[in-house]
Amino acid sequence: MKNYQVIWNGPVLKGTGIGTASREYALALHRQGVDVKLATNRSKPLLYTKGKNGVLKALAKKPSARKKTKILIYHGLPHTLNLKQARKQYRYIVLNTVWETTRIPRNWHPNINRFDAVFVPSVQNKTAMRSSGVKVPVFIVPHGVNTQTFKPGNRKLPLSVKKGTFVFVSVFTFQHRKNPETLLRAYWEEFSPKDRVALVIKTNGVGSQASGLSIQRRIQAFKKKCKCGRTAPVHLITSHTSPQKLKALYASGHAFVLPTRGEGVGLPFLEALSSGVPVIATRWGGQMDFLNNRNSLLIDYKLQPPARSMKKSISPSFGYLFAQRGQLWAEPSLRHLKKQMRYAYQHPAICRRKGQQGRNDMRKHSWNRAGIAMKHALTKVIRKKSR
């Protein structure tokens, strides 16, 4: 059935990773010839107004097609949608979501099997859905990356480091799931001022602990507690980062490192590889759909209950979401992370080869690919319900 209109309800106005994904999914569907209308709060301006983002503005202003079947794609959390009310407006309702542990939260259960289908971005996510008792069809619709934006040869971010310094880059939200404490401890314990190395962290907080000053204080307190003595330098960026500055940051790195405990996808991994920068990452999570030993240095781990590591967290842990009964995620090996970082530092030529491989791999991970996958999944949803 081609006579349908997709109403995309997602965080397209947000300047976050999920905001990026929401915008790119909607645009990718549009490029595949799907009639897409954005459901946005018109009291807020779109973040971008030029180029492809002018298309977003047009999709937001597009009128509802009265004679077409309506499909709602809800890019969010299942318990936040009033399904009873939505059923009065839409023939099909699809959930587009992501999760980072082996089981979804309890408050997702009452609603999630009332959708017509669930779209997730990775194998890990589909496994988590099925393990949690999701019975409706679950389709993998992968994320993509803009290889024209994130590419080798981009202008580098000016850094206060000596010439010839090996630069580790890390980009993440300051929360326990991202594992800042293991990253920092590994770097401080493995490298001294004698090593020509630097770690550049781009991070931002969440909630009441969102300020850059709060993050800096927590990191300083953690360093004192570690008793690491004199260490190689850490450069912390907590201010707003423009898209131009972000791509310059990736271009400045010789390796990207993030010992995450759980990812639905891991957009920074895609962006780093697209920039020609190899990745040092945990060998578990949604990122394993595209990370491998050819483009990355992978970290050994053990699956364990999230609550076990939250006791020593230096960042917000969100235990009410991630420490529920039956949930597991990865706890990366500190020892192996140190080994992989040292190996990268000592073998810059191998890092360059892995980065080149990552760049080649990312050419196959476009947002157009995501749009094609989503359109095919929609066709299957429609056929199944029509029968």
Side-chain angles (χ1 to χ4, degrees), residues 173-246:
T173 304
F174 196 67
Q175 59 173 300
H176 177 66
R177 178 169 62 85
K178 300 293 185 175
N179 204 3
E181 57 269 23
T182 298
L183 169 61
L184 289 164
R185 183 183 286 275
Y187 177 75
W188 287 331
E189 291 183 357
E190 185 63 29
F191 300 103
S192 75
K194 295 180 181 179
D195 296 302
R196 186 160 286 192
V197 64
L199 171 62
V200 182
I201 295 176
K202 166 65 188 87
T203 189
N204 59 280
V206 290
S208 60
Q209 299 165 332
S211 74
L213 182 59
S214 172
I215 293 172
Q216 291 174 21
R217 287 173 175 170
R218 283 169 172 259
I219 290 175
Q220 289 169 0
F222 181 59
K223 188 174 184 180
K224 289 182 180 178
K225 188 175 181 180
C226 288
K227 299 179 180 179
C228 295
R230 295 182 69 236
T231 65
V234 174
H235 300 266
L236 192 63
I237 302 172
T238 58
S239 57
H240 170 73
T241 304
S242 67
Q244 292 75 24
K245 189 174 181 180
L246 182 61

Side-chain angles (χ1 to χ4, degrees), residues 38 48 53 71 137 159 190 193 232 250 293 304 315 333 355 373 378:
L38 295 184
Y48 313 98
N53 299 301
I71 301 176
L159 298 172
E190 185 63 29
Y250 287 119
N293 290 324
Q304 70 175 38
S315 55
S333 164
L378 282 173

Side-chain angles (χ1 to χ4, degrees), residues 248-364:
L249 175 59
Y250 287 119
S252 305
H254 296 90
F256 180 91
V257 56
L258 184 62
T260 178
R261 294 181 165 103
E263 297 291 333
V265 181
L267 192 58
F269 295 136
L270 289 162
E271 294 169 346
L273 289 180
S274 183
S275 302
V277 179
V279 165
I280 303 173
T282 313
R283 196 188 291 270
W284 184 86
Q287 70 270 19
M288 291 310 299
D289 283 11
F290 53 89
L291 296 188
N292 53 61
N293 290 324
R294 291 173 300 143
N295 59 32
S296 306
L297 291 166
L298 299 171
I299 310 163
D300 294 341
Y301 69 93
K302 291 182 179 179
L303 284 180
Q304 70 175 38
R308 190 174 298 175
S309 56
M310 288 179 181
K311 298 174 183 178
K312 297 181 180 180
S313 176
I314 66 170
S315 55
S317 58
F318 302 101
Y320 65 95
L321 291 174
F322 297 116
Q324 296 183 12
R325 185 176 180 181
Q327 289 180 327
L328 301 172
W329 66 15
E331 189 59 35
S333 164
L334 172 66
R335 178 177 171 274
H336 197 225
L337 171 58
K338 291 163 66 173
K339 181 179 179 180
Q340 296 291 53
M341 292 180 75
R342 174 61 67 176
Y343 184 87
Y345 172 68
Q346 292 179 336
H347 298 87
I350 291 178
C351 283
R352 286 193 292 271
R353 289 200 295 271
K354 286 180 179 289
Q356 290 168 359
Q357 181 64 51
R359 171 65 181 177
N360 292 335
D361 293 344
M362 291 305 99
R363 295 181 190 278
K364 304 173 186 177

